[in-house]
Each structure stands twice: as structure tokens, then as C-alpha cells.
């Protein structure tokens, strides 16, 4: 299934990536994504939860207990990446790497740019 | 939680409604928390940040919400719909795509100027009229009264069988003040206009006499000086006054030493003890001067006994104690009335009492009329939306090809839908802005036209709340007229549309919708039209009523003769000299005085008893009104004297009291008999009974009937004449009276002449406004006229729009059937047949609308029942007229497209196709 998966939408990819280090709530995910993309990806609530709904349905993420030591509004619910989610993410990384390696062979001048 | 935060949370909750319920249940709370948390981000903090925040949140909710709805609550497909990354300096996808939509919308609207202009003007009309009427409804009905804790305020009334809102007698007020526990404070007031002498001129000023509790009840304090003390409010207390801020500025130049001055009211100096800024609008809006009630000292001065329950003239207001309900207050008032009844030896339930919320008492009868008009403009807006939706549908249908291409190259349904909705919202916003401007002008115009009986004139303004209302209307109507066509367009199957080569008008479902919209428009306009016609019918009947007098060339003005110490000689002498001089003026045909000219002033009313017809103690005594008149009154006002004689100079005080009865009174007291020479007696009344007057005003003696005058419509044209009798001013020398002057020819007697003459006799007598009796008659129908003008113009606009709709849909039908018509004509169908077919088609639409509309009109007509004079809400003639007019106008609207169809050149029609 992994190999036949179409490329992950960028939003999905970033959400999954942000959950690798541990469970987070929606607003936390937004911040993590913003942080690791240097502010290039800003998720609106609608975009975020639309993707989350899909990820939950496909079993890539699941609801999680509130991690110990975190306080705050009871409204926040936490999410964590599932094993299946990690597999999909890894597959996506592999695909990206393959694509990237291929691109490099075609455009040797292209260096990763800071951005 | 701060109120701001609560408001924000409320707004966000509303936005959440964009999402389908399943999604809300799953993520609603989280999204809400997300949005709230987002607010504190630095980028939303600066002044513009608030705008950015709401823009983004609204956009977020609308795009994703509609998308979630579109996909039926299922997560959308995995196809990436938006680029998730953005160039660092872009203001964001959301913003740029909205801007694109906006740009595109404006380009689209400008590309079709005729369509845009018609749609825009229609929207301005709909939103503008609604906003204007709402600003009146808001000012009069919705805004709280301008007092502290206004819901605690009540008006207190006495009730007797058949009359529920009667003024209160002094002893009743005193009992209320002492015994009532549900009130924090109560106050009794008398309002009126009185002559005030300023240096160099005398003016009528609005005066309220108020008991000491007034300032507590309404929660006001003078800005300068103080309120009346209990001592000042006792009978025989000092002459003191509180003036309005307006008078303070106009007459005293805001002098801080004004408390050292006096104001001369009715020739007597009153010390100014306070200045009241923004004084209460009760009992009298625009009050200039407040005087202490002093336990009805006024009545004592007039030679009457105020300490009786037979004399009722006080308007009583109260402030409820915290927690007391209006019902509890009513029960207490009624209980106190019963105690008084018992103490007086009256039947225990002969006089009752109750409390009414002050807002209700103030707004009174205008409520139903205003709500009716609001309903009427609401219907007009519905037509406007249907009309613009019809136009919009035409445009969208014409663009099916474009929409199909856009969908085919991958614009999702939501994207197409959003683009179309943005277009309609842009148009609606322009319409809303224009509507608010129209409303500002229209509100001023309407208030100038509004009858003076419309309460709370001053609180009608186009303010933030009104603009908010206009904004909601704008959004609502934009969605209403944009959504149906947009949904239809977004549902189009691109493949089918493109194969159909986008020939205009072939989509039959679009035309079905359009025809339904036109039927709805005709139906609603028929409802409005028959309402307006009923009002017009009723209004015409009203103004064609014979008022019983001849108002042509009669001028009138209210005067108060100098009056002190119950000395009526001075009053008689003033009016005698005045009438002598006025009658001698060139151009004056005749002149007289009266306490109550028709349409201007209400009467004294009493119960009476005929001498030859004794009334048992339990029997209801008949009521009759008193009209005080001078000599020559009947000639001046043009009331025919049917029998007997007019009053003459020989009817004097001390002689036998005489009266002239009107026909209604003669018929009431002496049915079938000759009333001349009969005698009757006053036995009691609302404005006073024989016992309560120790003066000459209401004699105890038998009064002899010396003449019979024709009936006169007194208070308004819609009311039948009531039993009345005229009394000579010489025997009942009331100080205030109206001068009535009949000119020989139009404009030979002028207001200036009359004013001069009065001031020659006594410069301290104010002469305020000189009115024509015709003007009074006309303002007596101001209320029905106002309603008619409003409903009539809305109905006319509605009818026009509906017919525009008929015209548009028929034009499109003809255009869409060019091919078919061409074929038929090529096969030999005569032109008249084509003409008739198109006319019949349009006629069917109008007939459906008419049928539905008439049903609605019959159902809704009952709302008008109380406003109609001698017309029933289901009046067949009126409805028949509406039906004929609607069908005729509809046929006219169809004629142009029908003729175009009949003139088609078959060969060309077929070739073009």
C-alpha cells in the first residue's frame, strides 16, 4: 500500500511530521508546523481539522490521553501518530528522497536553499 | 470572562454554524478553542490585526465549512486542494484568493452595466426602505425608554366599566402614595401649555406640573439647583419653577446665576430653583418648565374642589420596587381603589385601577401600525430578492459555458460556488451601502410626514444598530438571491453543458425556477397591493365624510385670557373686547370663540339627566359632552342650526342656564319629542361632576334647551358624532379658548392680523400658531394618510418589480423558443397565434401569482381590520379591482416580448439557430 500511495498532501505531511516527537493538540500542531517550516506553512483551523478528520478516518493518527505534566483547557484534545501513520510518513520520506536524488542528478547545480 | 471575550466567543460560535453538524460535534469545541487561542498571536494584535483576524476566521469557516457541507460531512478527497506553502511575502492564500474573487466579481459586474444597474437599484430600494422603516420601529418600539432601569416604570390608570385608561383623581393618587408597597416612588402630573411672559413677548410654553416624587420616579436630577422639596409641593406652597436646559440657554444665555431669576407664568413670577437637562419625555415631550403640583393647587385656582374622586385629571407614574412585578402593582392599585370605594360608600368594584408598563403605555396603538409597515417592507424585500435572483439566474445561465469550462479545468464545485456567491455579495454590499444612504434620507422624510401622534419622535435615528440591521439584510439578501442560482450552476455537469454548446435558455430547470420566482413576486405584490387598496378605499371614504362643519376660510388659534382668583369677569371682558375688534377687521366675515373646535381639543364629558325622565339609582346615566361657544359660533364654523335660536348677548350669567343640544343628544334624551324648552342637569363626569365645582362652570341647576344644532364629527372623521350640548361662554367663562375667524375670501384674514389684535388688547397673552380649520381637519387624518402613503408606495414599488419580473421572464422565454417559434411560423402558424400564445403564457404566470396572492391577502387582511373605516378586510370590490389591475398590467408587461415573437422572421430565426 505504501508504494502505491499517491504523494501526501503537504498539510498532511506536516501534521504527521509534527506528531513524531509526541502527542499534541490542534493548536500545538499549528505551532509546531509553523516552527519547523519557518513560518512558511500557516494552518487555518479549517484546513487543520479537515486534514485531521481525514487522518483519523484513515488511521494515520489517533486520539491520545493528555500527556502527563500538561495543564490547560479541557477543550483541547490530544492526537498522536499511529504506527500506520509512521509507516506512511516513512514511505513518503523515502519517496521524497528518491525524487530528490533523481532531481539532483538532473540539476546538479541545485543546492538546498535556506528558506 | 470579559464581555468582549464573550462577544467574540459568540461570534465564533455563529461562524461554526458554517460546518455541518457532524463535523461540529467532532471538532467544534476544538476549533473554537483554536480560534480563541489564535487571537493572542502578535500578528492579530495591532489595530489592523483585528480586521485580519476576523477576515481570516470568517474566510476559514466559510470555505472549509461549505466544503465540508458540500462533501456531505465526509472528509474531502485526498486531492490537494490548496497549496500548503506560500511564498514568504505573500499575504496568504486565503487573502489572495478572496481578492481574486473580488476582482473577478467587479469585472463581471462592470461587464454587464445594465444588469448591474437594475439589480443594484432594486437592492437599494429594498434595503433602503427596510432600513428606514426599521429605524422608526427601532426608535419607537425597540429602544428602551431613556431612563434609568426603564422596565421598573409603570403608568397607573383608573378603570371604570367600558373605559380602561382613565386619569386618576387626586385623593386616589394620595392614597397610592401613602399605601402602595410595590412602588418605590409615585408621581402625579398634569401637562399642558400655558402663556409665559418673557421680556417683550409672550409665548405658549409646555408645562408639566409634577408632584415631588417625579424626580425619583424618572431618576433625574437638575444640573443646576435642586428638585422640588416636599414643602414646595404642598398646597399654597411658594411659586417655584424648574426650567429646561433649552430655556436656560435660549432665554438666560446659560447664565450660572439663573437661580436668582424668576420666570413669569400667567402673570405671576415664579422663582427658578433648578435647571433640568434632558428632562423626561413624560408626561410631555419637550417640556419647557416644571412646576410643583402642590396637591392640585391649579384646580383650586380655577375655583374647583380637587379633593373629590369625581374630578379626574392626573397622569400617574410609578417606579416599582426591585422585584415587584407589574401584575403585583396592578393588584395593589386595584385593592387601594376598592378601599376607597368602600370608604366612599360606592359599589366595591365601581372604580378599579391598574398599572401598565410605561413603554407599552407610551408606544400604545402605534405598535400594530408600525409592525404592519415593517411587514410590508419585508415583503417588498422578498420581492426584491426574488427579482434579483431572477436576473441573477439569467446571468448565471448565460454563463453556464464559462462555469462549465472552469469546472472542467479543475475548479471544484466549492470554488465555483464561492466565486458566484462572492459576486452576489459584492452586489449586495453595494446595494446595502446605497440602501443605508437612502434610508438616511428616507427616515427624515418619513418623520416629517409622520403624524404627531407617533410617539418618541426624537429617538428615531439611523444609528449603529440600524446600520447593523442593514448589514444583516444585505448579507441575508445577498445569500438569498445568490445562492439558488449559484447552487444550480455549480451542479451543472460540465460535459453536458459543453456538448450543448452553451445555447442560451435551453436549460429548462432554470426557467422553471425563474417562473416560480415570478409567480411568487406577483403573489407577494398582490398581497401588498390589496392591503394598500383597502387603506386607500378606507381613506377616501374617510375624507369624503361630511364633517358637519365648513372648514373653508376658517382660522383658529388657542388663547388663554388672564385669569386670577377665579374672577371670570376679566375673562368675559377680554373675549368681548377681542371679538369686537376682530369682527371689525377688514376681510373678516364673522368671528367667535369656543373651548373645543372640532378636530382640535377634546371636550368636557359628563353624565346628564333629563328633567322629565328620572333615572333610577342603579341605571346607567347617558354621557354628553360640553362645548363652550361664543355668539356667532354656528355661522363662523358653518354648523347648521336646525331648530330654535342661537345664543345671544342677552344670555348672561345669573339668568337661567341655557344650552343648544346637537341632534345626537336630542335623540338620546328626548327620542321622538321636541327638545326645545326641555331641561336637563349635569350629574357627574370624567372631567367633573356637579359636586366638584363650587364655581359657575358647571351649574347644579336645570339647563334649558333653546336650540338644536346639526351633528359634528368631533375627534376624528371616522367617529360618529356623540351626544353634545353647547353652552354660552357668557354663562361658562372658561379662561382658555380658541378664537375662530371666518374670512370673507381666501387669505383676507391673516395670522399676523389676528396676532396684532390680540396683543393690542393684552400684550401678555401669547398667540402661538394660527391654524386653518381645514388644516386641523387634514391633520386629523394624518395617521391613516401616513399608513396609506407608506403601504401605497411600497405596494407600487412591489408591483413594478413584479411586472419587471414578468417582462424579463417572458422576454427570456421568447428568446429561448426562437427556434421553435421559427419552425411553427415556417409551418404556417399566423402571427396572431404566436402573439396570443405568448400573452397566454404570461397571463398564466400572473394568474397563478394572483390566485396565491389573493389567498394571502384575504388571510392577511384581518391585520388591517382595526385600521379600516367602513370597509371590510375582505371587501370584494377592492380585491376585484386588484385582480383586474394585476392582470392588465401583467398583459402589458407581456405585450412587448409577445410582439417581438410575433414579428420574428422565420428564416432568420432558423438560420441563427
Amino acid at each position: 500500500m505504501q508504494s502505491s500511495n499517491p504523494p501526501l498532501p503537504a498539510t498532511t505531511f506536516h501534521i504527521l511530521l509534527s506528531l513524531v516527537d509526541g502527542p499534541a493538540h490542534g493548536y500545538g500542531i499549528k505551532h509546531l508546523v509553523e516552527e519547523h517550516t519557518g513560518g512558511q506553512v500557516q494552518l487555518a483551523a479549517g484546513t487543520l481539522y479537515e486534514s485531521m478528520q481525514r487522518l483519523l478516518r484513515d488511521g494515520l493518527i489517533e486520539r491520545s490521553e493528555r500527556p502527563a505534566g500538561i495543564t490547560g483547557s479541557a477543550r483541547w484534545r490530544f492526537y498522536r501518530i499511529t504506527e500506520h501513520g509512521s509507516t506512511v510518513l516513512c514511505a513518503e520520506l523515502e519517496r521524497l528522497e528518491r525524487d530528490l536524488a533523481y532531481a539532483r542528478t538532473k540539476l546538479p547545480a541545485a543546492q538546498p536553499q535556506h528558506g | 470572562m470579559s464581555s468582549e471575550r464573550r462577544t467574540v466567543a459568540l461570534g465564533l460560535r455563529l461562524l461554526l454554524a458554517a460546518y455541518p453538524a457532524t463535523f461540529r460535534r467532532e471538532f467544534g469545541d476544538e476549533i473554537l478553542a483554536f480560534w480563541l487561542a489564535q487571537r493572542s498571536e502578535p500578528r492579530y494584535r495591532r489595530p489592523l490585526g483585528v480586521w485580519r483576524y476576523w477576515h481570516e476566521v470568517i474566510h476559514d469557516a466559510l470555505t472549509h465549512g461549505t466544503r465540508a457541507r458540500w462533501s456531505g460531512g465526509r472528509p474531502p478527497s485526498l486531492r490537494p486542494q490548496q497549496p500548503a506553502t506560500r511564498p514568504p511575502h505573500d499575504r496568504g492564500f486565503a487573502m489572495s484568493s478572496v481578492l481574486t474573487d473580488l476582482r473577478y466579481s467587479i469585472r463581471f459586474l462592470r461587464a454587464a452595466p445594465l444588469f448591474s444597474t437594475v439589480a443594484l437599484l432594486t437592492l437599494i430600494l429594498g434595503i433602503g426602505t427596510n432600513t428606514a422603516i426599521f429605524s422608526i420601529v427601532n426608535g419607537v418600539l425597540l429602544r428602551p425608554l431613556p431612563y434609568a432601569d426603564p422596565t421598573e416604570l409603570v403608568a397607573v390608570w383608573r378603570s371604570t366599566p367600558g373605559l380602561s385608561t382613565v386619569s386618576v383623581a387626586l385623593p386616589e393618587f394620595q392614597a397610592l402614595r401613602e399605601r402602595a408597597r410595590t412602588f418605590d416612588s409615585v408621581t402625579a402630573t398634569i401637562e399642558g401649555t400655558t402663556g409665559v411672559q418673557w421680556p417683550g413677548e409672550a409665548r405658549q410654553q409646555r408645562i408639566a406640573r409634577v408632584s415631588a416624587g417625579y424626580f425619583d420616579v424618572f431618576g433625574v436630577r437638575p444640573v443646576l439647583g435642586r428638585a422640588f422639596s416636599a414643602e414646595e409641593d404642598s398646597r399654597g406652597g411658594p411659586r417655584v419653577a424648574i426650567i429646561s436646559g433649552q430655556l436656560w440657554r435660549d432665554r438666560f444665555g446659560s447664565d450660572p446665576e439663573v437661580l436668582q431669576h424668576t420666570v413669569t407664568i400667567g402673570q405671576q413670577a415664579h422663582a427658578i430653583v433648578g435647571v433640568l437637562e434632558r428632562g423626561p419625555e413624560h408626561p410631555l415631550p419637550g417640556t419647557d418648565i416644571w412646576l410643583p403640583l402642590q396637591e392640585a393647587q391649579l384646580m383650586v385656582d380655577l375655583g374647583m374642589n380637587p379633593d373629590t374622586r369625581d374630578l379626574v385629571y392626573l397622569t400617574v407614574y410609578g417606579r416599582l420596587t426591585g422585584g415587584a412585578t407589574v401584575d403585583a402593582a396592578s393588584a395593589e392599585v386595584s385593592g387601594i381603589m376598592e378601599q376607597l370605594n368602600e370608604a366612599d360608600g360606592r359599589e366595591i368594584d365601581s372604580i378599579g385601577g391598574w398599572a401598565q408598563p410605561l413603554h407599552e403605555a407610551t408606544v400604545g396603538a402605534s405598535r400594530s401600525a408600525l409592525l404592519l409597515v415593517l411587514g410590508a417592507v419585508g415583503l417588498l424585500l422578498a420581492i426584491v430578492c426574488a427579482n434579483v435572483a431572477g436576473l441573477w439566474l439569467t446571468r448565471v445561465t448565460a454563463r453556464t459555458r464559462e462555469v462549465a469550462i472552469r469546472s472542467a479545468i479543475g475548479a471544484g464545485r466549492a470554488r465555483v460556488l464561492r466565486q458566484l456567491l462572492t459576486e452576489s455579495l459584492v452586489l449586495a454590499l453595494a446595494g446595502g451601502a446605497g440602501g443605508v444612504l437612502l434610508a438616511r434620507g428616507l427616515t427624515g422624510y418619513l418623520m416629517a410626514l409622520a403624524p404627531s401622534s407617533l410617539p418618541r419622535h426624537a429617538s428615531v435615528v439611523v444609528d449603529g444598530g440600524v446600520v447593523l440591521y442593514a448589514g444583516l439584510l444585505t448579507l441575508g439578501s445577498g445569500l438569498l438571491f445568490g445562492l439558488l442560482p449559484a447552487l444550480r450552476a455549480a451542479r451543472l455537469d460540465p460535459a453536458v453543458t459543453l456538448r450543448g454548446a452553451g445555447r442560451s435558455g435551453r436549460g429548462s430547470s432554470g426557467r422553471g425556477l425563474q417562473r416560480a420566482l415570478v409567480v411568487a413576486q406577483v403573489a407577494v405584490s398582490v398581497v401588498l397591493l390589496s392591503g394598500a387598496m383597502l387603506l386607500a378605499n378606507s381613506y377616501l371614504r374617510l375624507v369624503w365624510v361630511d364633517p358637519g362643519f365648513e372648514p373653508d376660510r376658517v382660522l383658529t388659534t388657542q388663547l388663554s385670557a388672564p385669569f386670577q382668583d377665579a374672577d371670570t369677569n376679566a375673562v368675559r371682558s377680554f373675549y368681548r373686547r377681542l371679538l369686537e375688534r376682530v369682527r371689525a377687521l377688514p376681510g373678516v366675515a364673522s368671528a367667535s370663540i369656543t373651548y373645543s373646535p372640532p378636530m382640535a381639543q377634546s371636550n368636557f364629558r359628563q353624565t346628564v339627566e333629563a328633567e322629565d325622565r328620572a333615572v333610577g339609582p342603579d341605571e346607567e346615566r347617558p354621557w354628553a359632552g360640553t362645548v363652550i361657544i361664543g355668539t356667532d359660533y354656528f355661522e363662523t364654523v358653518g354648523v347648521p342650526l336646525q331648530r330654535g335660536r342661537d345664543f345671544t348677548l342677552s344670555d348672561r350669567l345669573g339668568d337661567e342656564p341655557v344650552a343648544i343640544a346637537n341632534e345626537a343628544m336630542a335623540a338620546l334624551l328626548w327620542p321622538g319629542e321636541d327638545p326645545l324648552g326641555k331641561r336637563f342637569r349635569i350629574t357627574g363626569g370624567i372631567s367633573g361632576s356637579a359636586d366638584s365645582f363650587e364655581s359657575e362652570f358647571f351649574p347644579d341647576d336645570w339647563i334649558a334647551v333653546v336650540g338644536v344644532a346639526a351633528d359634528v364629527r368631533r375627534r376624528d372623521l371616522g367617529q360618529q358624532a356623540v351626544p353634545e350640548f353647547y353652552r354660552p361662554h357668557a354663562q361658562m367663562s372658561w379662561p382658555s379658548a380658541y378664537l375662530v375667524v371666518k374670512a370673507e375670501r381666501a387669505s383676507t384674514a391673516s395670522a399676523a392680523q389676528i396676532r396684532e389684535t390680540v396683543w393690542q388688547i393684552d400684550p401678555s397673552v401669547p398667540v402661538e400658531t394660527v391654524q386653518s380649520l381645514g388644516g386641523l381637519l387634514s391633520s386629523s387624518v394624518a395617521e391613516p394618510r401616513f399608513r396609506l402613503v407608506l403601504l401605497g408606495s411600497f405596494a407600487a414599488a412591489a408591483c413594478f418589480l413584479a411586472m419587471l419580473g414578468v417582462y424579463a421572464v417572458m422576454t427570456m422565454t421568447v428568446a429561448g423558443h426562437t427556434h421553435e417559434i421559427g419552425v411553427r411560423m415556417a409551418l404556417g402558424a399566423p402571427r396572431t397565434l404566436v402573439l396570443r400564445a405568448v400573452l397566454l403564457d404570461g397571463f398564466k404566470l400572473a394568474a397563478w401569482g394572483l390566485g396565491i396572492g389573493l389567498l394571502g391577502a384575504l388571510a392577511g387582511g384581518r391585520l388591517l381590520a382595526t385600521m379600516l373605516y367602513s370597509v371590510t378586510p375582505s371587501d370584494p370590490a377592492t380585491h376585484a379591482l386588484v385582480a383586474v389591475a394585476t392582470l392588465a398590467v401583467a398583459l402589458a408587461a407581456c405585450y412587448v416580448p409577445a410582439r417581438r415573437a410575433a414579428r420574428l422572421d422565420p428564416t432568420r430565426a432558423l438560420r441563427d439557430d
Side-chain angles (χ1 to χ4, degrees):
Chain A
M1 181 182 173
Q2 293 99 308
S3 55
S4 63
N5 243 0
L8 278 184
T11 318
T12 314
F13 176 74
H14 287 296
I15 293 174
L16 287 178
L17 206 54
S18 68
L19 291 175
V20 168
D21 289 336
H25 54 63
Y27 194 62
I29 294 173
K30 169 194 146 75
H31 270 287
L32 287 168
V33 170
E34 246 176 74
E35 206 173 307
H36 74 236
T37 61
Q40 277 194 40
V41 177
Q42 295 188 350
L43 294 174
T47 319
L48 178 71
Y49 283 101
E50 199 177 283
S51 303
M52 304 261 278
Q53 188 187 26
R54 199 165 56 233
L55 288 170
L56 280 170
R57 184 200 59 182
D58 295 350
L60 299 184
I61 60 171
E62 61 191 4
R63 297 236 155 82
S64 132
E65 296 293 307
R66 175 182 294 262
I70 294 188
T71 54
S73 165
R75 265 188 185 159
W76 296 120
R77 281 188 299 186
F78 285 77
Y79 300 88
R80 70 168 166 241
I81 190 164
T82 60
E83 223 164 285
H84 177 49
S86 305
T87 324
V88 170
L89 188 60
C90 288
E92 175 70 4
L93 283 177
E94 273 170 30
R95 190 190 62 77
L96 280 175
E97 264 165 14
R98 269 200 318 272
D99 288 358
L100 201 59
Y102 174 66
R104 292 254 163 76
T105 62
K106 302 288 278 187
L107 297 164
Q111 291 299 314
Q113 284 196 339
H114 196 265
Chain B
M1 192 189 264
S2 75
S3 72
E4 188 211 342
R5 199 178 147 83
R6 267 201 302 273
T7 318
V8 169
L10 180 68
L12 293 176
R13 250 179 215 293
L14 285 175
L15 280 176
L16 265 186
Y19 284 95
T22 48
F23 193 90
R24 278 205 305 271
R25 268 197 297 280
E26 201 174 352
F27 297 111
D29 280 351
E30 283 178 81
I31 292 185
L32 200 63
F34 187 107
W35 280 337
L36 281 170
Q38 228 178 340
R39 264 181 89 224
S40 51
E41 289 179 23
R43 61 197 237 96
Y44 300 124
R45 250 182 242 143
R46 283 154 301 151
L48 276 177
V50 176
W51 284 104
R52 183 196 293 238
Y53 175 74
W54 283 106
H55 171 263
E56 291 190 9
V57 166
I58 290 171
H59 179 266
D60 185 14
L62 290 184
T63 16
H64 292 100
T66 41
R67 192 149 78 202
R69 279 182 189 275
W70 204 252
S71 58
R74 279 166 287 120
S77 68
L78 270 173
R79 182 163 55 98
Q81 302 219 343
Q82 301 180 0
T85 54
R86 60 174 77 148
H89 299 297
D90 192 349
R91 294 191 59 203
F93 164 77
M95 192 62 156
S96 73
S97 90
V98 167
L99 283 180
T100 312
D101 280 357
L102 277 179
R103 261 198 303 275
Y104 191 84
S105 304
I106 291 166
R107 198 188 312 152
F108 157 71
L109 289 173
R110 280 171 53 179
L114 181 67
F115 158 77
S116 306
T117 314
V118 170
L120 185 64
L121 288 179
T122 313
L123 278 172
I124 289 179
L125 177 75
I127 297 176
T129 48
N130 270 275
T131 308
I133 296 300
F134 177 76
S135 71
I136 298 179
V137 169
N138 180 46
V140 176
L141 297 186
L142 301 183
R143 273 178 182 229
L145 293 170
Y147 308 123
D149 301 318
T151 51
E152 290 175 3
L153 293 172
V154 293
V156 178
W157 305 108
R158 159 209 264 240
S159 59
T160 46
L163 290 165
S164 61
T165 48
V166 183
S167 305
V168 174
L170 183 66
E172 292 163 354
F173 163 66
Q174 288 163 337
L176 207 62
R177 188 173 52 189
E178 280 150 30
R179 302 180 203 170
R181 294 284 159 268
T182 50
F183 294 92
D184 249 352
S185 45
V186 286
T187 182
T189 63
I190 306 176
E191 81 269 15
T193 55
T194 303
V196 174
Q197 289 73 37
W198 301 103
E201 67 171 336
R203 303 285 300 205
Q204 294 272 13
Q205 310 266 219
R206 291 160 169 256
I207 291 193
R209 287 167 208 270
V210 302
S211 71
Y214 182 78
F215 302 90
D216 290 334
V217 169
F218 290 104
V220 289
R221 283 282 164 262
V223 288
L224 212 61
R226 55 179 175 79
F228 299 128
S229 66
E231 187 181 72
E232 280 164 343
D233 189 34
S234 56
R235 198 170 288 167
R239 294 207 170 91
V240 291
I242 290 175
I243 62 171
S244 69
Q246 188 73 38
L247 271 193
W248 180 44
R249 281 183 291 278
D250 293 353
R251 295 281 174 184
F252 296 94
S254 306
D255 181 0
E257 302 290 300
V258 69
L259 301 184
Q260 316 292 327
H261 291 69
T262 60
V263 53
T264 309
I265 304 165
Q267 264 84 11
Q268 280 161 337
H270 289 64
I272 297 174
V273 298
V275 175
L276 195 53
E277 200 68 88
R278 283 185 294 282
E281 36 185 80
H282 295 85
L284 187 65
T287 300
D288 300 305
I289 299 174
W290 291 263
L291 301 176
L293 184 69
Q294 299 181 333
E295 314 292 325
Q297 177 69 42
L298 176 71
M299 294 293 150
V300 179
D301 292 345
L302 285 170
M304 300 182 207
N305 170 21
D307 299 318
T308 159
R309 292 182 71 198
D310 290 323
L311 202 58
V312 294
Y313 49 87
L314 295 174
T315 311
V316 174
Y317 304 101
R319 180 175 284 279
L320 302 178
T321 48
T325 62
V326 176
D327 287 342
S330 276
E332 190 174 27
V333 171
S334 144
I336 291 173
M337 288 294 188
E338 280 176 13
Q339 293 168 14
L340 292 174
N341 292 344
E342 213 168 3
D344 290 357
R346 295 178 202 243
E347 294 273 323
I348 187 98
D349 53 358
S350 56
I351 299 174
W354 60 296
Q356 184 183 26
L358 186 56
H359 186 268
E360 188 186 305
T362 310
V363 167
S366 65
R367 173 187 291 268
S368 56
L370 278 178
L371 290 182
L372 181 84
V373 173
L374 190 66
V377 280
L379 289 181
L380 180 62
L381 186 65
I383 292 188
V384 162
C385 285
N387 202 287
V388 179
L391 285 171
W392 204 256
L393 202 56
T394 325
R395 292 292 303 167
V396 170
T397 312
R399 288 163 72 203
T400 43
R401 198 183 158 80
E402 175 210 320
V403 170
I405 292 173
R406 282 163 61 106
S407 331
I409 60 171
R413 276 175 165 177
R415 189 73 185 72
V416 171
L417 184 66
R418 198 181 75 185
Q419 170 60 37
L420 291 173
L421 271 184
T422 308
E423 283 166 20
S424 59
L425 282 179
V426 166
L427 187 68
L429 276 178
V436 170
L437 288 181
L438 174 67
R440 288 191 61 142
L442 200 59
T443 306
Y445 172 76
L446 289 178
M447 290 316 285
L449 198 71
S452 51
S453 58
L454 184 72
R456 310 188 67 198
H457 268 249
S459 46
V460 173
V461 283
V462 178
D463 60 4
V466 173
V467 171
L468 186 72
Y469 178 81
L472 287 178
L473 280 187
T474 301
L475 278 183
S477 50
L479 286 177
L480 210 60
F481 75 72
L483 205 55
L484 268 182
L487 280 178
R488 229 184 60 74
R491 257 195 218 120
L492 287 177
D493 183 343
V496 172
T497 314
L498 288 176
R499 236 179 294 125
R503 190 186 291 145
S504 67
R506 272 287 154 99
S508 63
S509 81
R511 214 160 46 237
L513 180 60
Q514 213 153 17
R515 292 169 76 89
L517 284 173
V518 166
V519 169
Q521 287 179 58
V522 173
V524 176
S525 76
V526 163
V527 172
L528 283 176
L529 203 58
S530 56
M533 293 294 261
L534 282 174
L535 288 185
N537 192 339
S538 148
Y539 180 74
L540 288 179
R541 283 165 196 255
L542 200 56
V543 293
W544 285 338
V545 159
D546 176 12
F549 59 94
E550 306 237 346
D552 298 343
R553 312 198 308 275
V554 180
L555 293 178
T556 180
T557 186
Q558 192 181 15
L559 301 171
S560 307
F563 179 64
Q564 274 168 38
D565 310 323
D567 172 20
T568 54
N569 279 321
V571 174
R572 276 187 293 276
S573 130
F574 171 80
Y575 284 116
R576 200 183 55 240
R577 282 188 296 153
L578 176 66
L579 283 180
E580 273 166 18
R581 293 216 186 189
V582 170
R583 282 171 184 151
L585 286 174
V588 169
S590 65
S592 183
I593 52 169
T594 174
Y595 174 73
S596 44
M599 311 293 157
Q601 172 89 27
S602 55
N603 270 329
F604 302 98
R605 287 185 64 209
Q606 313 78 176
T607 51
V608 291
E609 170 182 46
E611 185 180 28
D612 51 357
R613 213 169 293 260
V615 178
D618 296 336
E619 236 178 297
E620 188 84 16
R621 289 199 171 89
W623 288 89
T626 303
V627 189
I628 308 169
I629 59 171
T631 53
D632 287 352
Y633 173 80
F634 294 108
E635 194 192 329
T636 307
V637 178
V639 177
L641 193 62
Q642 312 280 47
R643 328 227 358 227
R645 65 169 177 91
D646 196 357
F647 297 132
T648 65
L649 290 174
S650 54
D651 295 311
R652 259 174 283 197
L653 188 64
D655 297 349
E656 181 187 37
V658 289
I660 294 173
N662 73 351
E663 290 172 299
M665 167 147 165
L668 180 72
L669 285 189
W670 303 282
E673 291 177 54
D674 183 0
L676 290 187
K678 302 275 190 198
R679 302 205 299 173
F680 67 97
R681 188 165 67 168
I682 298 170
T683 51
I686 286 188
S687 292
S689 77
D691 301 341
S692 51
F693 296 100
E694 284 154 7
S695 72
E696 70 205 46
F697 291 127
F698 292 89
D700 238 348
D701 314 341
W702 292 105
I703 303 170
V705 176
V706 297
V708 178
D711 284 343
V712 165
R713 304 250 163 161
R714 174 149 295 280
R715 289 206 15 223
D716 72 62
L717 285 172
Q719 277 184 2
Q720 293 291 334
V722 292
E724 287 180 333
F725 54 92
Y726 296 88
R727 295 267 291 126
H729 186 266
Q731 291 184 343
M732 197 174 169
S733 310
W734 201 262
S736 85
Y738 281 80
L739 177 67
V740 281
V741 178
K742 174 106 175 172
E744 268 169 356
R745 282 179 303 281
S747 78
T748 49
S750 70
Q753 257 182 328
I754 292 175
R755 207 169 271 139
E756 276 301 300
T757 314
V758 174
W759 283 340
Q760 277 167 19
I761 297 171
D762 190 337
S764 74
V765 173
V767 186
E768 210 65 5
T769 44
V770 179
Q771 292 167 290
S772 71
L773 215 49
L776 286 175
L777 194 59
S778 157
S779 51
S780 80
V781 290
E783 226 169 299
R785 187 170 49 222
F786 186 55
R787 283 197 294 263
L788 173 61
V789 167
L790 285 180
L791 206 58
S793 40
F794 298 148
C799 193
F800 176 75
L801 288 178
M803 291 312 150
L804 207 63
V806 171
Y807 169 80
V809 81
M810 289 319 293
T811 303
M812 282 194 25
T813 307
V814 168
H817 286 82
T818 309
H819 184 82
E820 187 194 325
I821 295 170
V823 169
R824 285 196 184 195
M825 289 173 86
L827 290 177
R831 290 182 189 280
T832 47
L833 197 68
V834 173
L835 187 77
R836 205 184 313 155
V838 176
L839 284 181
L840 192 67
D841 192 32
F843 187 82
K844 267 193 228 154
L845 285 184
W848 269 108
L850 178 67
I852 299 171
L854 281 180
L855 287 181
L858 286 176
R862 274 169 302 165
L863 297 176
L864 285 173
T866 56
M867 301 169 200
L868 295 180
Y869 170 71
S870 87
V871 181
T872 58
S874 55
D875 185 50
T878 306
H879 288 97
L881 189 62
V882 169
V884 171
T886 305
L887 292 179
V889 180
L891 279 184
C894 294
Y895 183 72
V896 176
R899 206 183 48 175
R900 191 176 303 150
R903 285 191 183 165
L904 273 180
D905 179 351
T907 45
R908 270 190 64 190
L910 292 174
R911 197 173 49 233
D912 285 355
D913 208 45

